[in-house]
Amino acid sequence: MAYNLKLAERIRVELGGIPVAEKKMFGGVGFLVHGNMACGVHKENMIVRIDPGKQDKLLKKPGAKIFDLSGKPMKGWLMVEPEGCRTKKQLSAWVKEGLEFALDLPPK
């Protein structure tokens, strides 16, 4: 199944002038900063890499759930269903979360 190309384009626009690399992953696309994934798209959902210490708080946001493709939940990774990133404000907040975490990691 293909991933949501419109959501990927919205994320590209949101990332603006930030130098990111795009990489095919999880059957979709990931946006990496200094080799670390910040966010991406899997099927119809957004994927966001977050500070694991914020996970419980962020899971309370609309559409947010643990990212789990294999039966082993990935700590510090969230999947955001379409209702949670529908508006520009929602998408911007998620992109910001992913960027902040990726920029705090050492470059790969």
Side-chain angles (χ1 to χ4, degrees):
M1 176 181 201
Y3 61 93
N4 186 325
L5 297 173
K6 288 182 182 181
L7 177 56
E9 182 57 28
R10 289 178 59 216
I11 292 171
R12 281 185 201 97
V13 169
E14 194 61 41
L15 290 166
I18 298 167
V20 296
E22 290 187 33
K23 184 176 180 181
K24 299 275 184 196
M25 53 190 348
F26 306 118
V29 65
F31 297 94
L32 294 82
V33 179
H34 304 297
N36 295 298
M37 184 161 151
C39 56
V41 181
H42 173 70
K43 297 182 182 178
E44 293 299 313
N45 303 307
M46 181 175 188
I47 304 166
V48 186
R49 190 161 181 205
I50 55 143
D51 175 347
K54 292 181 170 183
Q55 187 163 302
D56 290 340
K57 176 185 171 190
L58 293 173
L59 280 169
K60 295 177 184 173
K61 288 188 165 198
K65 62 184 191 177
I66 300 288
F67 183 56
D68 180 1
L69 294 180
S70 64
K72 293 182 181 178
M74 297 175 68
K75 190 156 181 77
W77 295 70
L78 297 181
M79 186 157 14
V80 183
E81 295 175 329
E83 73 265 15
C85 56
R86 186 165 283 128
T87 69
K88 181 173 177 24
K89 183 178 178 180
Q90 288 172 314
L91 183 72
S92 179
W94 284 116
V95 169
K96 182 180 176 191
E97 285 290 340
L99 280 174
E100 285 177 358
F101 186 69
L103 288 169
D104 278 346
L105 296 171
K108 289 185 177 179

